[in-house]
Amino acid sequence: MSKGVIKMEALFEMRGIHKSFSSVQVLKGAAFQLKPGEIHALMGENGAGKSTLMKILTGVYKADSGSIKVKGKEVMFTDPKQAEEMGVAIIHQELNIIPKLTVTENMFLGRQLTYGKTGFVRDKEMKRRTREYLQRLGVDIDPDASADTLSIGQQQMIEIAKALSKNAEVLIMDEPTAALTDREIEALFKIMNQLRSEGVGIVYISHRMEEIFLMCDRISVLRDGSFIGTEDISETTIEHIVHMMVGREIGERYPERSSKIGDERLRVEDLSDGKKVNGISFSARAGEIVGVAGLMGAGRTEIARMLFGANKKKQGKIFIDGQEVAITSPSKAIESGIVFVTEDRKHQGLVLGMSVRENLSLTNYKHISNYGVISSKKEEELSEKMIKRFHIRTRDPEQTVKSLSGGNQQKVAIGKWLGELPKVFILDEPTRGVDVGAKKEIYTMMNELSEQGVTIIMISSDLPEVLGVSDRVIVVHEGRIASILDKSEMNQETIMHAATGGSSNGH
Amino acid sequence: MATDKKQLSSTLQKLGPLIGLLIIIAILIIASPNFLTLNNILNVFRQVSINALIAFGMTFVILTGGIDLSVGATLALSGALTAGLLNGGMDPVTAIMIGLASGAVMGTINGVLVTKAKIAPFIATLATMTIYRGLALVYTDGRPITGFNSEFFTMVGGGYFFGVPVPVIIMIIIFAVLFFLLRKTTFGRNVYAIGGNEEASLLSGIKTGRVKIYVYALTGLLASLAGIILTSRLNSAQANAGMGYELDAIAAVVLGGTSLSGGKGWIVGTLIGALIIGVLNNGLNLLGVSSFYQQVVKGLVILLAVLLDRKKANS
């Protein structure tokens, strides 16, 4: 499992790639090179052109100009199938798995083995091969299992197996760890190491610096569609990479703050949903940032949704400023001063087809309407103000949220709650899939709010983030609070220990 | 600027149905000398008014991502109820109010089934369509209710106001109110938001269940208004009135460019859609096309409109 880069002809090389969509130039001289047996990170802020570059490589888009060589041969794919035939496979962040089909059926989707040219499928043979490919990856998944019974991590393994079954030599992975548990990430990394030793080249797109420095051999950075540079991981630092990405110093990743912690703001007593979450009790004070850590599926989101009235609670009491509040719906929670930024901004946080203005208005009717009649003038003023205040990069307020970059979508999803100061602000994975620059802006926003006395509860799977931002950490394990750690007690080990139930030493 | 271009193309997309209507009108003006007469135009509008009122409500339902198949039956039951009350000696204003209220109640039932019982709108309103129609048969005993001796009631469907048929005036007033409701109020905004993303709307604090119940109630109310106008105009209420009207209303909404998946569309389009259907019916009549062929043409126009719409959306 050496990290050494084998000196060989590049698997692919892209140079001087230019691409415009209507009048917007997305790529201006982008470049990338991948060697056999290396894991090469592709980094850049949201909107830097990473996805577009990879879509050009795989034939989804056609470059306006530039050269692409795959294994020394000049190519310009016009169809993803052609890329596949040349051994280039991509594993998207949103997996291409059909839930109700079995593992085998997913593996052979669209290319079933048949008896000659008949329509009769060779079930046994396909199953055998599926088993073989999965074994090669060292994963134990039943080929007959329905895909929707598998975890996200397992589904991802199937996608990788599928790519390998097509003899892929280039594997592009777009944010592969975003939805995985730590254990699944570990399994994925093992497989990536194995593939590297077999000579497969992996393009690794991620915002998680720690993972990149752990796994990758080289790192290339794009900024505003231009190629900035390629560095050997062993010879660079996180600070340098961040500098390359944003083109300026952004200073500390987690901005300093002087927390002014006040009186008890939120108290939760014995909260249960009768299903996943049991006996949750904790309190949080004004101006405090409480991190909520735990493994994926531990019940953190369920706790947040109950506090917000989006999930029904079976028992338990919620107090705000010492007063018990009856929260039966999100609108009641909002009235009580509790607001919630969901982890899934696309499906739960935003109305994607609506404009930035309209999305910002949905939670701020109070400020823009009288007796249910919206004042266009007030509405425009509000959206202009918010776009400025939260640095939302949008052409104008009428742009649909769908067409914003991930980081800017997240700023809308967060900003829409800040038309007035909430009492308790719950954020579920607020920086997932968001680039460094936007991340820092989100942390700064949280700090400013806490300084104004808002209680912030931040659920995050990113341990450095939890450690960098929180005053205290609540660790959830299998639907219960395993531990509440003070600033002096919290570190990676204590959190992982509690998150895994204390049964293992984490890893 | 790109934005201007985008706005222009979106305006053009919105204008699509209008252009279609104008083309049909232009053809009819050339083909039939009787088309462009004041009498005929007023006639078209009067015929359109009933479908338009139903389709206005349907627009709201479809914008939330739902559908209401029970509007035709609601029309029949409310019309029959109003007629029965009138013949029982009730004063017309009260009878009309009760008729309208019955429509709102039927709509509310639909809304409750969709939001509280969580039955898919198609199924829920398919069931209530059958129930309301059945109740209309029970109430009328299968016989028409006729012979109203109220001048006021006859005015509702058959009267004129400064030369304009009363149903047309009603339609225009309702249109203006609904246009305002959708465009300028939080309720209207919520309707679009729910159709765009119901979960995100709920999590933004919108009382999505309540909004949807209001929407179905509004649709029921408008269907009953259409029922009362129809009863007045025909001077008769029948249990099988308004058969298939739900489909004409859906057709008008779709012709107007409103997306069946919700969240996108506008009520002006629906008015144009209803006019397209009305003008087409009228024109084909004037040209002496058999009513059998008229149906074929209507279906083809719907297909054509949807295909053109998709082409625009893709380009």
Side-chain angles (χ1 to χ4, degrees):
Chain A
M1 244 184 254
S2 87
K3 273 198 174 185
V5 176
I6 308 158
K7 297 279 177 231
M8 270 172 78
E9 186 183 28
L11 283 171
F12 76 85
E13 184 160 17
M14 306 175 81
R15 277 164 193 253
I17 305 289
H18 288 254
K19 175 74 186 169
S20 301
F21 292 105
S22 51
S23 60
V24 185
Q25 193 164 13
V26 180
L27 294 179
K28 21 195 168 173
F32 196 85
Q33 186 217 45
L34 183 72
K35 293 180 193 167
E38 77 162 335
I39 302 178
H40 193 151
L42 175 57
M43 290 204 81
E45 295 191 272
N46 289 328
K50 297 170 305 229
S51 308
T52 310
L53 186 65
M54 288 302 117
K55 280 181 178 159
I56 286 172
L57 174 65
T58 52
V60 178
Y61 299 144
K62 198 172 167 296
D64 298 337
S65 65
S67 116
I68 305 172
K69 279 185 186 163
V70 175
K71 286 179 269 177
K73 223 176 97 192
E74 189 79 26
V75 294
M76 187 61 86
F77 301 129
T78 51
D79 181 328
K81 271 245 156 81
Q82 298 169 345
E84 223 166 65
E85 278 160 20
M86 291 285 284
V88 179
I90 184 160
I91 293 172
H92 293 281
Q93 199 176 347
E94 317 226 330
L95 301 173
N96 280 319
I97 293 282
I98 301 183
K100 290 291 172 204
L101 296 185
T102 67
V103 171
T104 305
E105 285 164 338
N106 269 295
M107 279 279 290
F108 285 93
L109 198 64
R111 49 181 194 120
Q112 289 91 346
L113 303 177
T114 57
Y115 293 102
K117 293 222 172 206
T118 66
F120 297 102
V121 292
R122 300 169 63 186
D123 266 328
K124 275 210 183 110
E125 176 63 12
M126 288 196 288
K127 232 178 264 177
R128 193 186 66 73
R129 290 199 197 177
T130 302
R131 198 169 284 129
E132 192 183 300
Y133 289 124
L134 290 170
Q135 260 162 17
R136 190 179 144 199
L137 290 178
V139 290
D140 180 29
I141 299 173
D142 178 8
D144 286 328
S146 173
D148 55 4
T149 63
L150 305 178
S151 71
I152 303 284
Q154 288 174 315
Q155 294 182 14
Q156 201 172 49
M157 295 301 165
I158 294 169
E159 288 251 48
I160 295 174
K162 189 173 167 182
L164 296 177
S165 74
K166 297 176 189 166
N167 299 317
E169 292 171 74
V170 173
L171 207 52
I172 302 161
M173 305 180 92
D174 191 358
E175 294 271 1
T177 58
L180 299 190
T181 66
D182 290 283
R183 213 159 294 171
E184 286 170 332
I185 291 175
E186 217 176 317
L188 175 70
F189 286 175
K190 226 172 92 189
I191 285 165
M192 285 168 61
N193 277 325
Q194 183 194 333
L195 294 175
R196 164 160 55 192
S197 64
E198 288 170 14
V200 174
I202 299 176
V203 180
Y204 191 81
I205 302 177
S206 175
H207 290 302
R208 297 191 177 175
M209 286 285 188
E210 287 80 8
E211 290 176 359
I212 285 168
F213 276 75
L214 180 70
M215 289 303 296
C216 297
D217 302 296
R218 291 195 295 165
I219 179 166
S220 291
V221 175
L222 293 182
R223 188 202 315 148
D224 297 330
S226 304
F227 175 72
I228 302 300
T230 299
E231 302 280 333
D232 281 339
I233 288 285
S234 52
E235 286 159 21
T236 188
T237 60
I238 293 186
E239 288 68 37
H240 181 63
I241 298 297
V242 170
H243 184 80
M244 286 169 77
M245 280 166 61
V246 298
R248 59 192 148 87
E249 296 293 342
I250 67 162
E252 284 292 310
R253 280 172 76 198
Y254 304 107
E256 273 301 310
R257 75 192 184 93
S258 47
S259 34
K260 279 174 273 173
I261 295 177
D263 295 335
E264 178 187 278
R265 165 57 58 71
L266 171 74
R267 190 165 84 244
V268 179
E269 286 179 2
D270 198 24
L271 199 63
S272 301
D273 65 0
K275 283 178 279 189
K276 207 165 175 182
V277 175
N278 266 304
I280 301 295
S281 301
F282 69 91
S283 66
R285 292 154 67 177
E288 191 178 27
I289 299 184
V290 179
V292 181
L295 300 179
M296 195 81 49
R300 295 170 301 170
T301 297
E302 286 76 6
I303 296 171
R305 286 180 62 98
M306 258 193 287
L307 287 176
F308 189 59
N311 283 10
K312 280 213 170 71
K313 62 172 195 268
K314 200 174 161 214
Q315 62 175 41
K317 292 177 178 171
I318 300 166
F319 298 85
I320 299 269
D321 293 332
Q323 294 282 316
E324 184 173 356
V325 286
I327 292 171
T328 50
S329 68
S331 61
K332 286 266 168 59
I334 295 164
E335 274 170 39
S336 312
I338 301 179
V339 302
F340 176 46
V341 177
T342 58
E343 67 180 321
D344 179 351
R345 60 178 167 263
K346 287 194 173 139
H347 297 111
Q348 301 177 338
L350 298 165
V351 184
L352 289 179
M354 281 186 148
S355 65
V356 174
R357 166 180 60 81
E358 288 168 315
N359 270 284
L360 290 171
S361 296
L362 283 185
T363 44
N364 290 296
Y365 286 155
K366 224 193 292 180
H367 307 288
I368 59 168
S369 67
N370 251 330
Y371 301 104
V373 178
I374 296 173
S375 149
S376 305
K377 192 165 157 272
K378 279 191 193 160
E379 185 180 17
E380 272 161 39
E381 281 169 7
L382 178 92
S383 57
E384 299 271 347
K385 204 176 76 190
M386 291 215 170
I387 287 167
K388 251 193 222 126
R389 178 169 156 208
F390 303 119
H391 310 288
I392 299 165
R393 257 160 275 162
T394 171
R395 274 197 312 271
D396 63 85
E398 301 312 311
Q399 191 176 347
T400 57
V401 165
K402 202 189 316 188
S403 61
L404 296 182
S405 72
N408 284 299
Q409 285 182 351
Q410 187 69 344
K411 287 185 216 165
V412 176
I414 294 176
K416 73 176 193 175
W417 291 113
L418 300 176
E420 62 188 272
L421 221 49
K423 288 183 173 161
V424 178
F425 199 14
I426 309 172
L427 299 114
D428 195 353
E429 303 284 1
T431 64
R432 174 183 290 171
V434 164
D435 64 63
V436 253
K439 260 186 193 170
K440 180 139 188 200
E441 287 179 81
I442 290 170
Y443 298 140
T444 308
M445 204 188 284
M446 286 164 60
N447 286 349
E448 282 166 11
L449 289 170
S450 75
E451 270 159 36
Q452 294 171 67
V454 177
T455 299
I456 294 178
I457 296 177
M458 179 191 71
I459 299 172
S460 174
S461 299
D462 185 345
L463 274 186
E465 172 177 282
V466 171
L467 293 168
V469 172
S470 320
D471 294 312
R472 277 192 304 151
V473 177
I474 294 174
V475 188
V476 180
H477 172 65
E478 289 181 355
R480 294 175 180 278
I481 292 183
S483 179
I484 299 182
L485 301 166
D486 279 334
K487 200 144 201 162
S488 59
E489 304 166 308
M490 63 196 204
N491 57 48
Q492 300 244 6
E493 285 71 39
T494 51
I495 292 176
M496 277 320 296
H497 188 75
T500 51
S503 53
S504 74
N505 321 325
H507 39 259
Chain B
M1 247 178 77
T3 319
D4 295 338
K5 240 188 228 164
K6 207 179 152 200
Q7 260 163 8
L8 185 72
S9 85
S10 106
T11 314
L12 273 180
Q13 188 153 351
K14 281 187 166 177
L15 283 177
L18 183 62
I19 295 169
L21 175 64
L22 292 177
I23 291 172
I24 295 173
I25 289 175
I27 294 171
L28 288 175
I29 289 173
I30 297 164
S32 164
N34 297 327
F35 179 77
L36 199 63
T37 59
L38 184 63
N39 256 340
N40 189 50
I41 296 297
L42 287 177
N43 189 26
V44 169
F45 268 93
R46 197 175 53 203
Q47 283 165 356
V48 161
S49 60
I50 286 175
N51 183 29
L53 284 171
I54 300 173
F56 291 161
M58 191 69 81
T59 308
F60 280 71
V61 173
I62 287 178
L63 279 175
T64 65
I67 194 99
D68 187 348
L69 299 179
S70 74
V71 283
T74 303
L75 173 150
L77 183 52
S78 304
L81 182 64
T82 311
L85 293 173
L86 266 176
N87 277 4
M90 190 178 273
D91 86 280
V93 176
T94 317
I96 288 172
M97 287 302 162
I98 293 175
L100 291 175
S102 75
V105 169
M106 285 183 261
T108 305
I109 292 171
N110 289 336
V112 169
L113 289 173
V114 168
T115 55
K116 303 289 177 207
K118 301 202 189 313
I119 303 173
F122 188 94
I123 306 296
T125 59
L126 182 67
T128 56
M129 169 177 93
T130 316
I131 295 169
Y132 300 159
R133 183 70 69 188
L135 288 174
L137 283 162
V138 170
Y139 183 77
T140 60
D141 207 10
R143 284 188 293 266
I145 303 174
T146 54
F148 320 119
N149 49 13
S150 156
E151 207 171 300
F152 176 81
F153 188 73
T154 315
M155 278 286 288
V156 173
Y160 287 84
F161 191 74
F162 290 111
V164 182
V166 173
V168 176
I169 291 170
I170 294 176
M171 176 188 81
I172 290 169
I173 292 170
I174 298 283
F175 171 79
V177 171
L178 297 179
F179 181 84
F180 176 80
L181 208 56
L182 264 185
R183 231 358 219 291
K184 291 295 288 180
T185 68
T186 56
F187 173 73
R189 194 63 66 76
N190 290 343
V191 167
Y192 281 103
I194 289 170
N197 187 340
E198 186 161 355
E199 172 83 355
S201 304
L202 179 72
L203 294 178
S204 295
I206 295 171
K207 293 168 180 135
T208 54
R210 194 179 297 182
V211 172
K212 279 163 78 174
I213 291 174
Y214 287 157
V215 163
Y216 282 94
L218 174 70
T219 304
L221 177 71
L222 291 169
S224 65
L225 177 59
I228 289 162
I229 293 172
L230 185 69
T231 304
S232 159
R233 200 172 88 204
L234 300 178
N235 205 20
S236 151
Q238 296 184 20
N240 60 3
M243 282 278 193
Y245 278 25
E246 57 280 348
L247 300 181
D248 274 344
I250 294 168
V253 175
V254 171
L255 280 174
T258 295
S259 155
L260 272 182
S261 49
K264 285 221 155 7
W266 63 332
I267 199 158
V268 178
T270 300
L271 177 61
I272 294 169
L275 283 171
I276 289 176
I277 295 174
V279 167
L280 215 54
N281 279 339
N282 174 268
L284 294 172
N285 271 334
L286 289 179
L287 295 175
V289 177
S290 108
S291 67
F292 302 159
Y293 275 110
Q294 286 186 22
Q295 299 209 21
V296 178
V297 172
K298 212 156 80 180
L300 288 174
V301 167
I302 292 171
L303 279 180
L304 187 69
V306 173
L307 286 174
L308 285 175
D309 201 49
R310 185 179 322 152
K311 206 161 179 193
K312 266 183 310 192
N314 286 346
S315 66

